[in-house]
Amino acid sequence: MGNCCSCQDWGMGLIQKEEEPPTAAPSLHSKKENTPHSRITKATFSAVSPDSIRVLAGSSEEEGIRKRTNGNGESQRLTLKQSLQQSIIQTPRRNAEERGEGSRREAYSVVQEEDEDEKIGSILSLGDGWHKSIASTARDSTDEEEEEEDAGRLNGQSQGRDDSGFYSGWDRQADSDRNGHETDENGWRRSKIETFTNDEEEKDQGAGFAGHAPFSVDTTRDAASRDEPEPEPPQLPSRAQSLSFRRHREPSTLHVPSEEYGSIAAAMSAAISGDIISIAEGTYNESINIAAVDVDIIGAGDRDKTIVESTSRPVLSFRAMKGTVRNLTLRQVGGGCECAVDISAGAMQLEGCDLSCHSDAVIMVRGPNTRPVISGNLIRDGTGAGLIVTDSACPTIENNDICGHHLDGIVISDGADPTISDNRIYECKTTGVLVKAAGRGTLLNNDIRANAISGIVVQDRASPVIRGNKIRDGQGKGVDMYEGAVGLLDSNEVSNNIMDGIILKTGANPTIVNNKVFGNKGNGMYIFEGGMGVLEGNDVYENESSGVAIRSKGNPTLRRNKVHHGRKNGVYVYLNGLGELEGNEIYENRMDGVSVKSGGNPTVTSNMIRDCRGKGIFVHEKGLGTFDGNDVVGNSSTGVTVATGGDPTLRRNKVTDNKGHGVCVDKAQGLFENNMVSGNSGDGVHVRNGGRPEVRGNEITASEGHGLHICRAAAGVYDGNQVHANRKDGVTIRGAENPTVTQNIIYGNGGQALNMCDGGTSTCEGNDLG
């Protein structure tokens, strides 16, 4: 608060002696005359109220003497100094009572001079910042001998009175050590006191005590009153005690509303760390700001009847070290783009509240090492998201109902790492949980259901741990991961979503283990547009489309998964999809176990592909792929079918007990090497319609039809195979276009070893016809 020269001059002019001619009062910024009737000594500067000015003005008219009546009705004479001391101590208290400011604290200190005859009290009003106080004292005497003695004493004390009339020869260091004050270069002493004001009061009233600007005062005292005993001034607090008198009391419970505290803000401005502010039922139109002290704010009644509402600003802002807010209804009812609760520091606990926002997100948690616990709340109806966790914040969010938001239930971004457990996140208009922009976090045992677009979205290099959640009944996808997303999905249930269960695309590369993915109306898992990931130990079943679909350069690794009872294919690789399938059990799907087409080129090794209602392996429409060491067993159609331009490589597979042919090649090609083809209901290997495969080193046995049947303009190379114990012919060539049949061992079949009929031709060399 600045010092106005006009205010200082006016205050000094009020107490000019009556007998002096009226002249302009000197400013503290100008030199002061050395008159025989006045002198200036070192003192303090204070904010003085208008009542004090009136006292001073009245006293100056009575030559420094003020009358009062004592308890017996007798008139007493007070010196001007006594009047000033009484006024500056009592007036701020009276002003505060008139304003009803129970939340404001005043503290008073008095600085005592070395000279016991020159004492002056001063008030230090709590305001905005540190305040210096200056009050000059002078003494007027009609006794010339006393004036000469005083002048002599002053000359002895100080050798260097400067041009302004101030002494420069004080022992400042000793003075500072004795009284705990600071002394500046001009010999002025300053007391320090910490400021505690309410933000709302500062906005309404401005800085300083009651809005009064400080000014300087000259006080005079006549010789007759100089010898009267003066009241002892209050003791100046020690430096350690000078923060505030509020810190000298024990924590207690402050009740709102009450005679002392008409609002939550009033109680907050009076609170010390450890206080509990108890809120009675009612509606409070204000904002709560917890910043300077660690307090608990508790609703004392029914949560639904204890309501705090705010417009154009958050209902609750928290920046303290710790504190609790419990059992309240907090509503941000519109205006601007403000959240209902803004937590930017500390480790608060937000418990059992009903929270909503008609402006933006309901809760914002931000800032490094911000670690609140948000537990047991109803977080609903946000115009934006339910919770936004950002900027490396690390909250714990547990056992909340998070629902009905116009955007996402929870958003995690920018390095935030929350722990989100046992929540119910439902009926949000976009996503249950969105993790983006390198966000992290642990999602544990949450029920994420009935959200409009996705249960969980992970994007933009985010890397959460998602474990033990139920992600279900969504109007879109269960889990959608893209744009370089990584992270871990472990032991979740992803079920009954309108679209796909889990989607990986555009560089997503998570680890997905031990999940149950079932009942989704799309694919169980859908990997495309460069999506990757390790999918291991998952149980994928009863999805309306394929269990696992891979396309458009999708390249996941699937290990030891169970993919079964799907309404279509078990694994479907198409449109240039890739992928490695190893050690999976793919069974009892309504269509094919593994279907590859349109440039799909997976590597399929050591899988069990069984009991599907279609084909075990179906490679068609220019599909590719490498199939090595798989068991293709008991499927309702062929074990392996390659058709319409398919060109796979099959090595060391066991193709057994299928209800159709073991291997069928139709208008296609491919390499079939060292496979066991046994016990199938049709032919062991059936090639037709211009098919041209290479069939080398296979064992073809125990088929219900022919061992090897080449027909309908088919060709190809058949070399080094063992063809035996088939019910019909070992090798039948019917209407073929000159296939090459060499170095085969053909024996023990029910028909002929080699039967060429219906105009079929071939090149047969080196075969053992047993």
PDB file of all heavy atoms in Angstrom, residues 276-296:
ATOM      1  N   ILE A 276     -11.533 -28.568  11.314  1.00  0.00           N
ATOM      2  CA  ILE A 276     -12.630 -29.190  10.589  1.00  0.00           C
ATOM      3  C   ILE A 276     -13.714 -28.133  10.414  1.00  0.00           C
ATOM      4  O   ILE A 276     -14.138 -27.511  11.381  1.00  0.00           O
ATOM      5  CB  ILE A 276     -13.193 -30.399  11.347  1.00  0.00           C
ATOM      6  CG1 ILE A 276     -12.122 -31.489  11.490  1.00  0.00           C
ATOM      7  CG2 ILE A 276     -14.427 -30.955  10.649  1.00  0.00           C
ATOM      8  CD1 ILE A 276     -12.546 -32.646  12.369  1.00  0.00           C
ATOM      9  N   ILE A 277     -14.133 -27.925   9.169  1.00  0.00           N
ATOM     10  CA  ILE A 277     -15.241 -27.008   8.897  1.00  0.00           C
ATOM     11  C   ILE A 277     -16.468 -27.855   8.627  1.00  0.00           C
ATOM     12  O   ILE A 277     -16.523 -28.605   7.653  1.00  0.00           O
ATOM     13  CB  ILE A 277     -14.916 -26.095   7.701  1.00  0.00           C
ATOM     14  CG1 ILE A 277     -13.683 -25.237   8.023  1.00  0.00           C
ATOM     15  CG2 ILE A 277     -16.105 -25.210   7.357  1.00  0.00           C
ATOM     16  CD1 ILE A 277     -13.240 -24.354   6.872  1.00  0.00           C
ATOM     17  N   SER A 278     -17.433 -27.770   9.512  1.00  0.00           N
ATOM     18  CA  SER A 278     -18.644 -28.570   9.447  1.00  0.00           C
ATOM     19  C   SER A 278     -19.749 -27.756   8.784  1.00  0.00           C
ATOM     20  O   SER A 278     -20.112 -26.685   9.257  1.00  0.00           O
ATOM     21  CB  SER A 278     -19.071 -29.010  10.858  1.00  0.00           C
ATOM     22  OG  SER A 278     -20.258 -29.763  10.815  1.00  0.00           O
ATOM     23  N   ILE A 279     -20.300 -28.281   7.672  1.00  0.00           N
ATOM     24  CA  ILE A 279     -21.274 -27.552   6.872  1.00  0.00           C
ATOM     25  C   ILE A 279     -22.665 -28.124   7.127  1.00  0.00           C
ATOM     26  O   ILE A 279     -22.908 -29.313   6.891  1.00  0.00           O
ATOM     27  CB  ILE A 279     -20.941 -27.657   5.366  1.00  0.00           C
ATOM     28  CG1 ILE A 279     -19.473 -27.337   5.120  1.00  0.00           C
ATOM     29  CG2 ILE A 279     -21.849 -26.747   4.571  1.00  0.00           C
ATOM     30  CD1 ILE A 279     -19.060 -25.962   5.505  1.00  0.00           C
ATOM     31  N   ALA A 280     -23.551 -27.283   7.595  1.00  0.00           N
ATOM     32  CA  ALA A 280     -24.929 -27.712   7.831  1.00  0.00           C
ATOM     33  C   ALA A 280     -25.684 -27.792   6.510  1.00  0.00           C
ATOM     34  O   ALA A 280     -25.251 -27.265   5.477  1.00  0.00           O
ATOM     35  CB  ALA A 280     -25.620 -26.740   8.778  1.00  0.00           C
ATOM     36  N   GLU A 281     -26.827 -28.452   6.520  1.00  0.00           N
ATOM     37  CA  GLU A 281     -27.652 -28.553   5.317  1.00  0.00           C
ATOM     38  C   GLU A 281     -28.060 -27.172   4.845  1.00  0.00           C
ATOM     39  O   GLU A 281     -28.302 -26.262   5.629  1.00  0.00           O
ATOM     40  CB  GLU A 281     -28.884 -29.404   5.609  1.00  0.00           C
ATOM     41  CG  GLU A 281     -28.559 -30.868   5.865  1.00  0.00           C
ATOM     42  CD  GLU A 281     -29.812 -31.682   6.146  1.00  0.00           C
ATOM     43  OE1 GLU A 281     -30.910 -31.091   6.164  1.00  0.00           O
ATOM     44  OE2 GLU A 281     -29.701 -32.910   6.341  1.00  0.00           O
ATOM     45  N   GLY A 282     -28.153 -27.011   3.545  1.00  0.00           N
ATOM     46  CA  GLY A 282     -28.504 -25.732   2.940  1.00  0.00           C
ATOM     47  C   GLY A 282     -27.823 -25.603   1.599  1.00  0.00           C
ATOM     48  O   GLY A 282     -27.063 -26.474   1.171  1.00  0.00           O
ATOM     49  N   THR A 283     -28.097 -24.510   0.916  1.00  0.00           N
ATOM     50  CA  THR A 283     -27.477 -24.221  -0.373  1.00  0.00           C
ATOM     51  C   THR A 283     -26.561 -23.018  -0.219  1.00  0.00           C
ATOM     52  O   THR A 283     -26.985 -21.951   0.245  1.00  0.00           O
ATOM     53  CB  THR A 283     -28.541 -23.948  -1.435  1.00  0.00           C
ATOM     54  OG1 THR A 283     -29.352 -25.118  -1.591  1.00  0.00           O
ATOM     55  CG2 THR A 283     -27.891 -23.627  -2.771  1.00  0.00           C
ATOM     56  N   TYR A 284     -25.304 -23.162  -0.610  1.00  0.00           N
ATOM     57  CA  TYR A 284     -24.281 -22.133  -0.447  1.00  0.00           C
ATOM     58  C   TYR A 284     -23.799 -21.730  -1.837  1.00  0.00           C
ATOM     59  O   TYR A 284     -23.258 -22.550  -2.577  1.00  0.00           O
ATOM     60  CB  TYR A 284     -23.108 -22.661   0.378  1.00  0.00           C
ATOM     61  CG  TYR A 284     -23.509 -23.149   1.745  1.00  0.00           C
ATOM     62  CD1 TYR A 284     -24.037 -24.428   1.922  1.00  0.00           C
ATOM     63  CD2 TYR A 284     -23.373 -22.343   2.868  1.00  0.00           C
ATOM     64  CE1 TYR A 284     -24.422 -24.881   3.174  1.00  0.00           C
ATOM     65  CE2 TYR A 284     -23.750 -22.787   4.131  1.00  0.00           C
ATOM     66  CZ  TYR A 284     -24.269 -24.066   4.276  1.00  0.00           C
ATOM     67  OH  TYR A 284     -24.642 -24.514   5.518  1.00  0.00           O
ATOM     68  N   ASN A 285     -24.021 -20.501  -2.192  1.00  0.00           N
ATOM     69  CA  ASN A 285     -23.620 -19.987  -3.496  1.00  0.00           C
ATOM     70  C   ASN A 285     -22.251 -19.336  -3.380  1.00  0.00           C
ATOM     71  O   ASN A 285     -22.127 -18.119  -3.212  1.00  0.00           O
ATOM     72  CB  ASN A 285     -24.657 -18.990  -4.021  1.00  0.00           C
ATOM     73  CG  ASN A 285     -25.984 -19.650  -4.295  1.00  0.00           C
ATOM     74  OD1 ASN A 285     -26.055 -20.657  -4.987  1.00  0.00           O
ATOM     75  ND2 ASN A 285     -27.051 -19.098  -3.730  1.00  0.00           N
ATOM     76  N   GLU A 286     -21.222 -20.144  -3.446  1.00  0.00           N
ATOM     77  CA  GLU A 286     -19.867 -19.626  -3.297  1.00  0.00           C
ATOM     78  C   GLU A 286     -18.878 -20.660  -3.805  1.00  0.00           C
ATOM     79  O   GLU A 286     -19.243 -21.799  -4.124  1.00  0.00           O
ATOM     80  CB  GLU A 286     -19.575 -19.278  -1.836  1.00  0.00           C
ATOM     81  CG  GLU A 286     -19.786 -20.413  -0.850  1.00  0.00           C
ATOM     82  CD  GLU A 286     -19.510 -19.957   0.574  1.00  0.00           C
ATOM     83  OE1 GLU A 286     -18.422 -19.415   0.803  1.00  0.00           O
ATOM     84  OE2 GLU A 286     -20.392 -20.145   1.439  1.00  0.00           O
ATOM     85  N   SER A 287     -17.625 -20.265  -3.865  1.00  0.00           N
ATOM     86  CA  SER A 287     -16.544 -21.155  -4.243  1.00  0.00           C
ATOM     87  C   SER A 287     -15.673 -21.424  -3.025  1.00  0.00           C
ATOM     88  O   SER A 287     -15.447 -20.537  -2.206  1.00  0.00           O
ATOM     89  CB  SER A 287     -15.691 -20.539  -5.354  1.00  0.00           C
ATOM     90  OG  SER A 287     -16.447 -20.384  -6.529  1.00  0.00           O
ATOM     91  N   ILE A 288     -15.189 -22.636  -2.923  1.00  0.00           N
ATOM     92  CA  ILE A 288     -14.303 -23.027  -1.825  1.00  0.00           C
ATOM     93  C   ILE A 288     -12.881 -23.069  -2.367  1.00  0.00           C
ATOM     94  O   ILE A 288     -12.610 -23.753  -3.354  1.00  0.00           O
ATOM     95  CB  ILE A 288     -14.705 -24.396  -1.261  1.00  0.00           C
ATOM     96  CG1 ILE A 288     -16.156 -24.395  -0.788  1.00  0.00           C
ATOM     97  CG2 ILE A 288     -13.770 -24.804  -0.131  1.00  0.00           C
ATOM     98  CD1 ILE A 288     -16.677 -25.775  -0.419  1.00  0.00           C
ATOM     99  N   ASN A 289     -11.984 -22.356  -1.696  1.00  0.00           N
ATOM    100  CA  ASN A 289     -10.591 -22.305  -2.118  1.00  0.00           C
ATOM    101  C   ASN A 289      -9.716 -22.768  -0.958  1.00  0.00           C
ATOM    102  O   ASN A 289      -9.587 -22.080   0.047  1.00  0.00           O
ATOM    103  CB  ASN A 289     -10.224 -20.879  -2.535  1.00  0.00           C
ATOM    104  CG  ASN A 289      -8.821 -20.797  -3.098  1.00  0.00           C
ATOM    105  OD1 ASN A 289      -8.161 -21.814  -3.302  1.00  0.00           O
ATOM    106  ND2 ASN A 289      -8.356 -19.595  -3.343  1.00  0.00           N
ATOM    107  N   ILE A 290      -9.144 -23.947  -1.066  1.00  0.00           N
ATOM    108  CA  ILE A 290      -8.271 -24.496  -0.025  1.00  0.00           C
ATOM    109  C   ILE A 290      -6.846 -24.400  -0.543  1.00  0.00           C
ATOM    110  O   ILE A 290      -6.449 -25.150  -1.429  1.00  0.00           O
ATOM    111  CB  ILE A 290      -8.642 -25.955   0.301  1.00  0.00           C
ATOM    112  CG1 ILE A 290     -10.113 -26.051   0.703  1.00  0.00           C
ATOM    113  CG2 ILE A 290      -7.756 -26.494   1.412  1.00  0.00           C
ATOM    114  CD1 ILE A 290     -10.576 -27.473   0.936  1.00  0.00           C
ATOM    115  N   ALA A 291      -6.091 -23.449   0.016  1.00  0.00           N
ATOM    116  CA  ALA A 291      -4.751 -23.213  -0.505  1.00  0.00           C
ATOM    117  C   ALA A 291      -3.715 -23.068   0.600  1.00  0.00           C
ATOM    118  O   ALA A 291      -2.657 -23.688   0.542  1.00  0.00           O
ATOM    119  CB  ALA A 291      -4.755 -21.968  -1.395  1.00  0.00           C
ATOM    120  N   ALA A 292      -3.986 -22.234   1.614  1.00  0.00           N
ATOM    121  CA  ALA A 292      -2.960 -21.873   2.592  1.00  0.00           C
ATOM    122  C   ALA A 292      -2.892 -22.828   3.762  1.00  0.00           C
ATOM    123  O   ALA A 292      -1.849 -22.973   4.382  1.00  0.00           O
ATOM    124  CB  ALA A 292      -3.208 -20.453   3.110  1.00  0.00           C
ATOM    125  N   VAL A 293      -3.999 -23.479   4.099  1.00  0.00           N
ATOM    126  CA  VAL A 293      -4.046 -24.322   5.289  1.00  0.00           C
ATOM    127  C   VAL A 293      -4.632 -25.677   4.927  1.00  0.00           C
ATOM    128  O   VAL A 293      -5.365 -25.823   3.952  1.00  0.00           O
ATOM    129  CB  VAL A 293      -4.878 -23.663   6.408  1.00  0.00           C
ATOM    130  CG1 VAL A 293      -4.184 -22.440   6.961  1.00  0.00           C
ATOM    131  CG2 VAL A 293      -6.272 -23.309   5.917  1.00  0.00           C
ATOM    132  N   ASP A 294      -4.302 -26.680   5.721  1.00  0.00           N
ATOM    133  CA  ASP A 294      -4.788 -28.039   5.518  1.00  0.00           C
ATOM    134  C   ASP A 294      -6.010 -28.256   6.415  1.00  0.00           C
ATOM    135  O   ASP A 294      -5.871 -28.379   7.637  1.00  0.00           O
ATOM    136  CB  ASP A 294      -3.701 -29.047   5.879  1.00  0.00           C
ATOM    137  CG  ASP A 294      -2.427 -28.832   5.066  1.00  0.00           C
ATOM    138  OD1 ASP A 294      -2.544 -28.274   3.964  1.00  0.00           O
ATOM    139  OD2 ASP A 294      -1.350 -29.222   5.542  1.00  0.00           O
ATOM    140  N   VAL A 295      -7.183 -28.254   5.831  1.00  0.00           N
ATOM    141  CA  VAL A 295      -8.419 -28.364   6.600  1.00  0.00           C
ATOM    142  C   VAL A 295      -9.285 -29.473   6.015  1.00  0.00           C
ATOM    143  O   VAL A 295      -9.110 -29.897   4.875  1.00  0.00           O
ATOM    144  CB  VAL A 295      -9.207 -27.037   6.601  1.00  0.00           C
ATOM    145  CG1 VAL A 295      -8.408 -25.925   7.245  1.00  0.00           C
ATOM    146  CG2 VAL A 295      -9.636 -26.659   5.199  1.00  0.00           C
ATOM    147  N   ASP A 296     -10.248 -29.920   6.824  1.00  0.00           N
ATOM    148  CA  ASP A 296     -11.271 -30.851   6.377  1.00  0.00           C
ATOM    149  C   ASP A 296     -12.593 -30.111   6.304  1.00  0.00           C
ATOM    150  O   ASP A 296     -12.951 -29.381   7.238  1.00  0.00           O
ATOM    151  CB  ASP A 296     -11.407 -32.024   7.355  1.00  0.00           C
ATOM    152  CG  ASP A 296     -10.143 -32.870   7.417  1.00  0.00           C
ATOM    153  OD1 ASP A 296      -9.314 -32.757   6.495  1.00  0.00           O
ATOM    154  OD2 ASP A 296      -9.987 -33.639   8.386  1.00  0.00           O
TER     155      ASP A 296
END
